[in-house]
Amino acid sequence: MYTAELIKGKTYSVMGHVFLLNQEKEIVKKVFQYLDGNEFFACKEVKAPVDDAKTDDQPKEKPSEEEEEPKEVEEKSAREAKTYTETELKGMNKTEQEAIVIDLGGDPTQLKDKSERIAFILENQEHQEKAGE
């Protein structure tokens, strides 16, 4: 298991995760590798307690990675299942909007401003709702 905590700045969005200052968040190995060494983050690998001495011989990385991915998928699914209104989106900051754009499969760098991000989110969440029905 891996965790990251934003230690500088207010918010930071990366790979579908939105980090808030001083809030530790569980992440997968790929995100850990990306953020480890970034001066804005305190990253660490948390070792799971070993109940049985026999498990010490088994590789640790693969099982923990498999355990974590479903959690990320669940978090992402929960965000995708949320249908945002235009009013809610207007009340969000740029980082929050960009995280939703990423979750919907978009590239926030291709959207020029707040109105384009909001339009993208509203349009794409409608498409996902129709595809899910």
Side-chain angles (χ1 to χ4, degrees):
M1 178 171 88
Y2 302 92
T3 63
E5 179 181 348
L6 182 64
I7 56 174
K8 291 182 180 179
K10 292 183 180 180
T11 61
Y12 195 99
S13 176
V14 62
M15 296 182 181
H17 295 278
V18 177
F19 294 90
L20 302 175
L21 183 63
N22 298 323
Q23 290 186 355
E24 190 172 71
K25 189 171 188 176
E26 284 186 25
I27 54 174
V28 293
K29 184 177 181 179
K30 180 179 176 182
V31 179
F32 171 81
Q33 290 172 331
Y34 181 80
L35 293 175
D36 194 30
N38 183 322
E39 67 183 63
F40 285 79
F41 286 88
C43 299
K44 59 186 172 186
E45 181 177 1
V46 180
K47 300 283 186 189
V50 178
D51 295 333
D52 189 354
K54 293 178 186 176
T55 59
D56 287 345
D57 297 336
Q58 298 173 354
K60 302 252 184 204
E61 288 183 24
K62 198 63 178 172
S64 66
E65 195 173 317
E66 288 173 3
E67 290 171 6
E68 288 186 28
E69 288 204 40
K71 290 179 187 174
E72 181 180 323
V73 170
E74 288 172 15
E75 287 177 17
K76 189 173 181 179
S77 295
R79 285 193 302 262
E80 288 175 354
K82 168 81 170 113
T83 302
Y84 298 95
T85 65
E86 188 172 353
T87 305
E88 287 175 312
L89 293 168
K90 284 181 179 178
M92 292 180 182
N93 64 36
K94 179 180 179 181
T95 305
E96 293 169 323
Q97 291 171 349
E98 287 179 344
I100 296 168
V101 168
I102 291 168
D103 288 343
L104 292 170
D107 181 2
T109 62
Q110 299 298 314
L111 305 171
K112 295 177 187 168
D113 57 19
K114 185 176 192 170
S115 62
E116 285 191 15
R117 286 190 300 272
I118 291 171
F120 177 89
I121 293 166
L122 292 172
E123 181 178 322
N124 283 278
Q125 70 184 6
E126 285 177 23
H127 289 301
Q128 283 195 348
E129 286 174 7
K130 289 178 183 176
E133 290 177 355

